[in-house]
Amino acid sequence: MKDTLTHRLFRTLLIGAALALSGAAHAALTIEIIGAGANQIPIAIVPFRAEEGLPQQITSVVAADLTRSGLFRMVDPGGIVPVPHQPEQLNYPQWQARGAEAVVIGTVAAQPGGRYEVRFRVMDVVKQTQLAGFAFSVASAQLRLTAHRIADIVYEKLTGDVGVFSTRITYVVKRGEFYELQVADADGYNPQTVLASNEPIISPSWAPDGQRIAYVSFERKKPVVYVQSLTTGGRKAVANHWGSNSAPSWSPDGRRLAVTLTKDGGSHIYLINADGSGEPVRLTSGSAINTEPNFSPDGQLLLFTSDRGGSPQIYGMSINGADARRLTFDGTYNVSPRFSPDGKNFTFIQRSGNHFSIAVQDLATRQVQLLTQGGIDESPSYAPNGRLILYATVISGRGILAAVSSDGRVKQRLTEYTGDVREPAWGPLIK
Amino acid sequence: MRKLLAALITAALLAACATDPTKEQEGAAVEDRTAQQLPTVPPVKPADPGAAVKPLGTTQVGGDPLTDPRNILSKRSVYFDFDSYAVKDEYKPVVAAHAKYLTQDRQAQMRIEGNTDERGSREYNLALGQRRADAVKQLLQLLGASPTQIETVSFGEEKPKASGSNEAAWTENRRADMKYKNRGE
């Protein structure tokens, strides 16, 4: 196991070095996977016909996506002649002999106007039936996204869960005293800088439509909440009051934000309109800290962090500020709550000595599970299917992103080689 | 007689130093032992000898009390214990001196910047830094400053003065800084 891990680390480093040498700007984050799911589905991904002529390979991306989830084991498709691209070309006993439970096959054909038709099928090797089959007509720039969508479909057909390979993430990269808010594909490819600043940027939060990001920028020498459109690049300060403005969280309908303001003294939670119009509506009172609001998926509740009981703990309240109640009781430092997409759990950071761990609490039973231990972990954020939690951690003094499966079994590290990465947030499903 | 006079001047100057920001400070001729007679007051350091030959401009001797390193008003930082926003006794004279300055010059506008060490949630640290800034503001108000003179902001853990992940850096970074907005700062 240790050899394997070392090997993986070494390979990861080599990939990083190769990318740095080639100056490739499209793969700033490199992924390393630790652990595996309890039951891995053996699957063969057969290279698509005519794929080798594409500017972007597809099946390698599909295989990497599925492998990264920890729920699949790749079965080598090599050496089977002829290479199957259509269902009738499949010799099922051959694949059964290799232990594959499913096979992905497909074709690529150039179309007029520089487009490509990508057809693929997921075949059940045991039942010898088709599980799914789709055709995409895409421009070359969309080939990678198409691969992620294929991986999503395969994942959904074989696990019953929604795939999140075609989603995006956002995070902040710090290089020296220079900060960049970036948006990248969920596998770390294709990072785009959407804001660059000489002042800190924290707390990016995706709008439910996936087209806007709220964040906190210190560019006016103090924290101000902005909403920025990813389609137009236009941005607006939606909370810029006396004092600090921070911790934006979107309502599920995308029309409001819960934020932390200090304009009336103390850190309190307010609701504001996402376009910045109108007056903030205050939800908390008293002299304690109240911050890090997070909307429930049904829009009826807010989780937040407060030290009203003497130490920072997680509380829940209705969105009109009523019925606040404490939810965490273990330890003296529980912060950064985020609802799971189904609203049944929340993830948060629990401090133990000098360590900060990712924890999940069941709202109904109050049972707590620690998913990481012994690190300095921050800013947990659920994948939209609830199966992974993205977070920031520190390795050798450097900030990197990591993800852990919600059962704690699979961990991934996404390493950026030129800066500190922090404050990740996983974007919504693309509808 | 001369020693007594020197002692009296020193005492007056020390009082001015601690409480009266509008008066310049002269302390070049003070003997060390006069300071020793006032054990509760820190000794006054001899002034830079070069200062005596500088031509006097329109500014007061000793320069701006806010920046004169011999003046308590040049001290701007209040340090805090871990996860605490209580202003410790050792920082109350500094805060008191700034309260007096703000009371005597109602045009003066201050911004207090709260900071924390790097450990824990960035947003919670932003709120904790805010509490630290607010704690200093409350003390300033208690001592006569107007709330409209003081804006409090927090940088949380985002602008560490000391880099590094060790107790020395953390101690330096658990801090609130008092800055004057319309005094060229």
Side-chain angles (χ1 to χ4, degrees), chain A residues 230-306:
Chain A
L230 296 180
T231 47
T232 68
R235 62 198 286 257
K236 184 181 182 188
V238 296
N240 182 18
H241 301 277
W242 181 269
S244 298
N245 310 263
S246 70
S249 169
W250 292 84
S251 64
D253 64 7
R255 293 168 62 185
R256 288 186 292 178
L257 292 167
V259 293
T260 300
L261 308 178
T262 66
K263 69 187 191 72
D264 301 318
S267 294
H268 288 289
I269 295 167
Y270 297 74
L271 288 182
I272 63 171
N273 292 325
D275 62 2
S277 66
E279 284 299 307
V281 177
R282 182 168 166 176
L283 302 184
T284 57
S285 59
S287 61
I289 289 171
N290 300 280
T291 188
E292 301 190 305
N294 180 248
F295 269 95
S296 62
D298 66 4
Q300 296 305 302
L301 295 170
L302 285 169
L303 296 174
F304 63 102
T305 307
S306 177

Side-chain angles (χ1 to χ4, degrees), chain A residues 199 202-203 221-223 242-244 246-247 262 267 287 289 292 307 312 333 335-336 351 378 422-423, chain B residues 82-83 85 111 118-124 126-128 130-131 134 150-155 158-159:
Chain A
E199 297 290 339
I202 64 168
S203 306
K221 306 296 179 190
K222 65 175 213 174
W242 181 269
S244 298
S246 70
T262 66
S267 294
S287 61
I289 289 171
E292 301 190 305
D307 72 340
Y333 192 96
V335 298
S336 306
R351 176 175 184 240
E378 293 182 7
R422 72 274 290 275
E423 298 290 276
Chain B
F82 176 69
D83 208 17
Y85 40 79
R111 170 137 80 187
E118 66 180 359
R119 293 173 291 173
S121 156
R122 290 178 187 277
E123 280 290 351
Y124 189 77
L126 197 57
L128 182 59
Q130 186 68 39
R131 281 305 294 261
D134 286 344
I150 308 163
E151 180 178 16
T152 54
V153 299
S154 174
F155 295 138
E158 305 306 325
K159 298 206 160 191

